Amino acid sequence: MNVPTLVEQARAGAPRAVARLISMVEDAHPQLREVMTALAPHTGRAHIIGITGSPGVGKSTSTSALVTALRKRGQRVGILAVDPSSPFSGGALLGDRIRMNDHVLDPEVYIRSMASRGHLGGLSWTTPQALRVLDAAGCDVVLVETVGVGQSEVEIAGLADTTIVLLAPGMGDGIQAAKAGILEIGDVFVVNKADRDGADNTVRDIRHMISLGDRTEPHLWRPPVLKTVASRGEGVDEVVEALDKHWAWMTEHGVLRKRRLRRAADEIEAIVIKTLRERMGDLRGGHGIEDHAALVVDGTASAYTAADDVVASLT
């Protein structure tokens, strides 16, 4: 495969080239390192926006509404929609794009569904590299729609520049839906389906919870709590305005670079761990792990000592 040509085509916005590069990411193609090296100088321009929330709050509909608003401003948009994989067959429906039919023929919108492939946290482990492909392909904004998540699946916060937490009235206690990790990761909170009873109560509850946090630091970002009816496009312009304000705040106070440094460190760590696991698999096939396991079972060595020996053999 001619990587320079493929990268050049992707940077020019050719959908097939972008699709092929993301497929290489998902398949861990042998030339992936060459691809990512070629893309690296062209990344870092896109605003990465994560969209998360419990199942049923309208993530796909809200994503589609945001795309409409962003396209009205002439911005090029990429979408990564992560769907859960079956624990039995390993397959995934990848049906999020069904709700984005209004954009599938727009050449300035790229939609890619990805399977989580058993990865926890609401994302696929290949999402960071796929984001870099869309960033280098000239997207001004990349929206990452996660698998419907619970309170502890907050990985999107480490991946996005700005994280939108979606909630909806009538789905139980609003505080229960947003407490703990989910409450802490949100940069913008959106109560969707605001035409339902209880929307104002949900907004009030979330604002109250935010007010309980430590806001004593100067210039600290205070997450807004907004209402939308995404199916009708109501309130979406206000959400886009909040995203602009958060971007400006991050840029002004150096938060954007800090977040991206952390993201790059996490990405490097994930690649290192994957590489070590692959090498561990080779050791296991060569009975290296089993030999150490026998020492632990026989009481000759502790699990820590055995682990230290295995790590030493990998270096």
Side-chain angles (χ1 to χ4, degrees), residues 133-181:
V133 173
L134 292 178
D135 187 357
C139 291
D140 300 300
V141 177
V142 180
L143 303 174
V144 185
E145 180 192 332
T146 73
V147 173
V149 298
Q151 295 169 13
S152 62
E153 294 168 313
V154 294
E155 189 173 323
I156 184 63
L159 187 67
D161 300 321
T162 303
T163 301
I164 299 175
V165 175
L166 283 174
L167 303 106
M171 298 187 66
D173 186 355
I175 300 303
Q176 181 70 18
K179 70 179 184 181

Side-chain angles (χ1 to χ4, degrees), residues 235-297:
V236 178
D237 289 339
E238 288 77 7
V239 175
V240 173
E241 183 180 348
L243 295 174
D244 289 341
K245 289 180 179 178
H246 186 246
W247 175 269
W249 172 82
M250 288 190 297
T251 304
E252 179 183 355
H253 298 287
V255 176
L256 181 62
R257 179 166 178 80
K258 290 179 181 178
R259 290 192 176 192
R260 291 186 168 184
L261 284 171
R262 182 184 62 196
R263 186 163 76 217
D266 290 343
E267 186 178 356
I268 294 169
E269 181 180 342
I271 294 171
V272 170
I273 291 174
K274 183 176 182 295
T275 303
L276 290 175
R277 282 177 176 169
E278 290 173 350
R279 295 180 65 181
M280 286 281 289
D282 295 339
L283 281 176
R284 201 176 183 94
H287 304 292
I289 297 294
E290 280 74 7
D291 292 343
H292 287 85
L295 296 177
V296 173
V297 171

